[in-house]
Each structure stands twice: as C-alpha cells, then as structure tokens.
Amino acid sequence: MRRTDMRRADKRRRPGKCPGAPFRGFRRLYLLAAMLLLVSVSLCGCGAASGGSTSDSSASDVSSSGSGEETSSESLTGSGSEDAAGSGDTANTASVANDYYLDLSDLGMNLTIYLHLDEDETFQFSNTLSFETVKSGGTYVESDGEYLMVFDSINGEDYSVSDGYTSSFVVTEDGSLDFSAGQYVYYGSTHIMTVSEDDETIKLAGVVVPDDYDEPDTSSEFQTGSYACEDVTEGDVVYSHVITFYEDETYLLVTSYETADGLGMAYEMGEYGVSTTQLALEPEDADRVSCEIADADNLTVSILPYPGAEERETFSFTRIEEADLLAELSGEGTVTGSDETFAVTVKLYADGSYESLAEDFTEYGVLTIDTSNGYMKQYPDHPETGVRGLNQITTVPAGSCSFENGSFTLSGLRVRKSSGLTRYETTVSEE
C-alpha cells in the first residue's frame, strides 16, 4: 500500500485538537518529575526505570516479552517549578514530530510497527500507518537530548506514571530514533525488547517514513478455532493435545491422557498474537513462545509434550471442526435455600469445552482441568453474546476434580437451569 499524506491526515491527534500551551507546560513538568522519580528509584536500587509487566493481551501482536517492577508514586507530589518545566524544549519536541516505522526483523520477528510522534508531545504506536488501531500511546518530553516516553494507554487499558510503563529514545545523526536506552517498548499486549539478546549491536530503531514508502502486507491466513497434533507417547502413556484460539485473543492448550484411575487432564492458557505468518503465545507465568502459521489450516506450535516436561517441543497442528468427546457426566443440583433438586448432565470435550444440560436449559463454555492437582475452573460463554474465551466473565467459578469410586467427578460446577443468570452448584460424575 502506497503511503500518501491524505491517508494519514485525519487519523492522528493533530495539534489543533489538543490542549493548549499551559496544559503542555504542566504536562512537561509532570513528565520531567516522572523522569527524576524513575532515575532516583533506579539509583536507590528499589525499582526499574522501564515499567512493569502487562497481562494482555492480545498478544495481540507478536513481540518479545519481559517484565519489570512498578515504581512508587509516593514521592511524585508536585514539587517542581516553572524552571523545571522549561528544561523540556518544545522546539526539540517539534523537531522529532513525524511518522516512523520500526522493522523488527533483525530482532527475530517478522513484523513492522509504526510510531507517530506529534508536536503536542503525544505518541501512538500502531500496526498500520493509518493509525486506526492504537496499540499503545502516551506522552513524551525531551531532557538533555534524551526523550522520555510515558505510556498512559497499552492495549486499550489506561495507566498512570506510577504504573512505571516508560521507555526512551535518542535521535541519531541520520534522524532515526535509537530506543536502546530503555529496556522495552510496550506494544499491544506484549513488550518489545530494545536490544537483541543474541547480539547487543542489534538495537530497536525508528526510521522516518519516506513519501514513497510501501507498507508491508500484514494480512494473515490464521483462523481462530481448535487445532490438534499427532499423539505423543512418553513411557506407557499416550498424550493427546488440542489447542484452541478464541476471538478474545486468549488460547487454551488441553492435554488429555489415561491414568491408572481414569481420565487425566492438564492445560496451558494465556494470550496470543498474530502477524502475517508469525504466531506468538504468551502463557500465564511463562516466557513468550514463537510459533508459525503454515497456512489457513496448519500451525507449527511449541508445547510441553507431556505434563511435567522440562522443555518445549515443536509439533504440527491441523485445524479440526469438532473435538472428541472425553467424558459424559451426570448428577444433581440443588436450588439454594430449598430441597428442590434437578438433574444435570455434562459433556466434556478434548478441547476443554463443555456442554451442560440442567432441566431444559443448555449452556456452553470451557473448563480448565488439572487432574494431578484436583483443580478445575469454569469459563462459561458470554451469557449475552455467546462469545467463547477466557476473558468473557469477570468472576471465574472454581471447583475440584477427583476420582470417586472409580468415576471421574467434577465438584463445584456452577450451572444455569434457565435463561436467568442464577447459577447452582452441582457435582457430576462419569457414569
């Protein structure tokens, strides 16, 4: 796609639409105070100058992950002065105002992202030059040749300076931006490392977008849904894996197998991001995992081959229309505060999805089950939209799983028996 001035004209926050000079002066004072705070925290050894960790995301795009520590806001009490505000030069800010592209291929990622620096001292990161989708944004200020960026929005979530999400850059002789002074750039649900872990000479750089710039095609054949790989045998146990990608940018990997007692299950959950042929997983409490999209129906995914494995292995996954039925359970539910009971049946599938039938009402959703720890959590489909994913409800019911009298049993499952939102606790067992 050819870049034109007209295409970009109405998509960004322009100087005429932003607060006036008095507010910019206050904001400059605020940012400089934040810079002093972050530096002082770093010197004291009690914090990090480059932000905290994010939960989201999305992932929604592919990049390197990382985490930091939150910085305290207790000492940010407005103790600055007009002289302090004046040390951030508006003329210097205006001189860097432009659109930049950041090619991440040298950092091992097949991805180009875009940065808009506005004269009003705000910035936006996006996956396109139209800046229709803002992956992150905030304000920036110059001090002694270095520009501090304070993120106030990341992946649609609002943040303050006390959350510690900052980065920085300097301008090189050719007018490019060198981000290596900061540790991360926050983009969507993930963090981009500013220096390659393999080669310290490879640094994240922003280059001014020329007028004849051809924007790379970022479309992808990737489809949400469930994918399965060939079974994995470890010892005498056969493990089956199904990974499902939901529309809310979350994923669930379910591992099922047979034990001496009966059905065994384990899972991994997190967020994911897609860019052209690249797929990134961000598991809960684990490092980012790079995977690939072969075509619309095939993925190459790195997973733990069996519960307790120390290292991931790469497998080919193929899209499936339906997951196998693992178990059919039944039991009774009790209406709270009465002796009334009702029959419940639950079907559990290899992708972690479930179907519950209570009286004449059917509900669908996802169960995360860890049989080795006797643990279960329940993620019903959104009650209004029917959207499935791990971010569809704010309160996630938890229960337990066990083997009672040789039968696989789920305890603490909450089911609905009508279109109302009331749930009733029940215990169901495999017949």
Side-chain angles (χ1 to χ4, degrees):
M1 183 182 298
R2 184 70 65 178
R3 171 182 179 268
T4 64
D5 292 335
M6 181 179 298
R7 183 182 63 197
R8 300 182 299 147
D10 298 325
K11 299 299 182 181
R12 303 184 299 251
R13 292 183 283 189
R14 306 308 303 166
K17 297 181 181 180
C18 59
F23 177 78
R24 289 198 298 270
F26 173 78
R27 182 175 58 204
R28 194 174 302 114
L29 169 62
Y30 179 72
L31 288 172
L32 288 169
M35 180 183 291
L36 292 173
L37 171 65
L38 293 169
V39 170
S40 64
V41 169
S42 177
L43 291 175
C44 291
C46 55
S50 278
S53 62
T54 56
S55 59
D56 155 285
S57 23
S58 123
S60 59
D61 282 87
V62 180
S63 60
S64 293
S65 64
S67 60
E69 297 176 347
E70 293 187 354
T71 54
S72 171
S73 62
E74 294 178 359
S75 61
L76 189 61
T77 55
S79 58
S81 64
E82 288 300 322
D83 290 339
S87 64
D89 194 337
T90 304
N92 289 344
T93 302
S95 69
V96 299
N98 214 325
D99 287 343
Y100 299 81
Y101 70 88
L102 287 71
D103 185 351
L104 308 183
S105 58
D106 286 344
L107 293 170
M109 292 163 277
N110 182 27
L111 179 66
T112 298
I113 65 174
Y114 302 94
L115 167 66
H116 174 68
L117 297 178
D118 209 308
E119 294 180 3
D120 71 345
E121 298 176 342
T122 62
F123 69 87
Q124 296 176 330
F125 281 99
S126 180
N127 59 331
T128 64
L129 267 175
S130 65
F131 290 89
E132 292 181 354
T133 301
V134 177
K135 298 295 185 179
S136 59
T139 51
Y140 71 103
V141 67
E142 184 270 343
S143 178
D144 296 329
E146 183 172 350
Y147 292 80
L148 173 71
M149 309 174 78
V150 177
F151 290 78
D152 59 28
S153 174
I154 303 173
N155 202 37
E157 298 290 334
D158 294 332
Y159 296 93
S160 68
V161 65
S162 63
D163 292 311
Y165 294 107
T166 66
S167 190
S168 62
F169 64 85
V170 296
V171 181
T172 62
E173 291 183 359
D174 64 359
S176 299
L177 309 182
D178 180 351
F179 290 90
S180 61
Q183 188 176 9
Y184 302 109
V185 164
Y186 301 94
Y187 177 85
S189 62
T190 53
H191 309 164
I192 301 172
M193 298 191 70
T194 60
V195 179
S196 171
E197 292 181 315
D198 300 325
D199 186 348
E200 292 184 355
T201 65
I202 299 177
K203 302 176 181 179
L204 181 64
V207 180
V208 174
V209 177
D211 290 335
D212 60 350
Y213 179 75
D214 274 329
E215 189 171 351
D217 183 8
T218 59
S219 61
S220 176
E221 294 184 275
F222 175 80
Q223 300 184 78
T224 57
S226 295
Y227 298 75
C229 69
E230 294 291 331
D231 290 345
V232 177
T233 301
E234 176 67 19
D236 296 329
V237 183
V238 177
Y239 298 91
S240 298
H241 301 281
V242 178
I243 188 168
T244 304
F245 299 92
Y246 304 109
E247 293 180 4
D248 64 358
E249 298 180 349
T250 60
Y251 79 91
L252 176 65
L253 170 67
V254 175
T255 301
S256 56
Y257 53 98
E258 289 294 325
T259 71
D261 294 322
L263 176 64
M265 296 185 70
Y267 69 91
E268 174 184 287
M269 59 185 289
E271 299 178 339
Y272 71 92
V274 172
S275 178
T276 58
T277 61
Q278 193 171 19
L279 169 67
L281 306 182
E282 292 189 20
E284 283 191 336
D285 304 320
D287 294 335
R288 171 183 174 272
V289 181
S290 296
C291 309
E292 293 183 359
I293 302 165
D295 54 43
D297 296 316
N298 295 280
L299 308 174
T300 301
V301 184
S302 179
I303 65 171
L304 293 174
Y306 54 88
E310 295 183 357
E311 295 184 358
R312 290 178 176 267
E313 297 181 15
T314 300
F315 297 92
S316 296
F317 281 77
T318 300
R319 184 177 171 82
I320 59 175
E321 294 299 325
E322 294 183 359
D324 293 337
L325 178 67
L326 291 182
E328 188 165 359
L329 306 95
S330 60
E332 283 189 343
T334 302
V335 177
T336 306
S338 73
D339 295 330
E340 179 186 348
T341 61
F342 55 92
V344 179
T345 59
V346 176
K347 293 181 179 179
L348 177 62
Y349 295 89
D351 60 354
S353 63
Y354 74 88
E355 173 186 329
S356 67
L357 175 63
E359 293 190 340
D360 294 326
F361 184 79
T362 302
E363 184 179 53
Y364 304 90
V366 176
L367 296 176
T368 57
I369 299 174
D370 184 349
T371 53
S372 64
N373 292 314
Y375 184 74
M376 174 197 71
K377 294 189 78 171
Q378 181 180 356
Y379 299 83
D381 293 352
H382 193 283
E384 296 178 357
T385 64
V387 173
R388 179 169 298 174
L390 306 180
N391 286 334
Q392 296 306 306
I393 58 174
T394 55
T395 302
V396 181
S400 63
C401 58
S402 61
F403 293 93
E404 297 183 5
N405 300 321
S407 296
F408 180 63
T409 300
L410 299 178
S411 302
L413 190 70
R414 273 74 166 179
V415 300
R416 295 161 60 196
K417 63 186 187 71
S418 69
S419 59
L421 299 181
T422 302
R423 294 186 176 278
Y424 304 93
E425 186 172 334
T426 184
T427 297
V428 291
S429 299
E430 192 172 15
E431 297 178 353

